[in-house]
Amino acid sequence: MASPDVLIAFVVAMAVFAYMPGPGILYTAAQTMARGRNAGYMAALGLHIGGYFHVIAAALGLSAALTYVPTVYLAIKLAGALYLIWLGIVLIRQRNRADNAQLAKIKSARKAFVESIVVEVFNPKAALFFLAFLPQFADPAGAWPVWLQLMVLGAATMVAFTSADIVTVFAASAIAARAKAGSWVQRALTCLGGSILIGLGSKLALENS
């Protein structure tokens, strides 16, 4: 592995990126407000698992294809953007559904988990982030192969990002719990969560890079 000084720099940079407000934190907050705390935690877990797709791709050099084939990057970006927009629309349309409360919570948590894996896998910006970030802290002359160093660094980065997501879920659920005064408040929170997802999808689709 890299020297202690480089690893310290990695930990600092990793913490800054993980806890800096961005699309990931907004996404987790949106899922929590729309579907509740359990769904928020499952969304964080889904993002975590989906993130390993990009870690493995970066370690094996597969993510580099996105920089050499712009069409592939654009296709993945648009697919991810449209999926986010679709998820937001579905949440807003289902705000008045009167299912059994306990069953609805279980279904929502499961959906949040699966949807979040798909959202993360179809996030080309995550692929480019790991491709640019991780190699800076790997040591080609180290005892471990570079790909293994990248895997370890990537796993540590995913843990940091997930810890930030968990903090976000806790904060968002606490705010939602204090705000709830009736079913109309829950519907409003669901609409807000769906609107955030639509906004994230639209932003991703319209970005130039």
Side-chain angles (χ1 to χ4, degrees), residues 36-56:
R37 178 182 294 182
N38 288 339
Y41 286 135
M42 292 304 290
L45 179 60
L47 292 178
H48 182 85
I49 292 176
Y52 285 111
F53 174 84
H54 298 300
V55 171
I56 294 172

Side-chain angles (χ1 to χ4, degrees), residues 1-20:
M1 295 292 286
S3 66
D5 290 344
V6 173
L7 291 178
I8 291 174
F10 167 73
V11 171
V12 173
M14 176 179 64
V16 170
F17 280 118
Y19 283 85
M20 181 186 302

Side-chain angles (χ1 to χ4, degrees), residues 142-169:
W144 292 6
V146 172
W147 69 267
L148 182 56
Q149 294 182 50
L150 295 178
M151 288 289 291
V152 173
L153 294 170
T157 302
M158 287 308 308
V159 170
F161 274 89
T162 301
S163 70
D165 289 337
I166 290 174
V167 171
T168 300
V169 172

Side-chain angles (χ1 to χ4, degrees), residues 24-38:
I25 287 179
L26 281 175
Y27 173 85
T28 309
Q31 287 282 7
T32 304
M33 289 186 293
R35 290 171 160 166
R37 178 182 294 182
N38 288 339

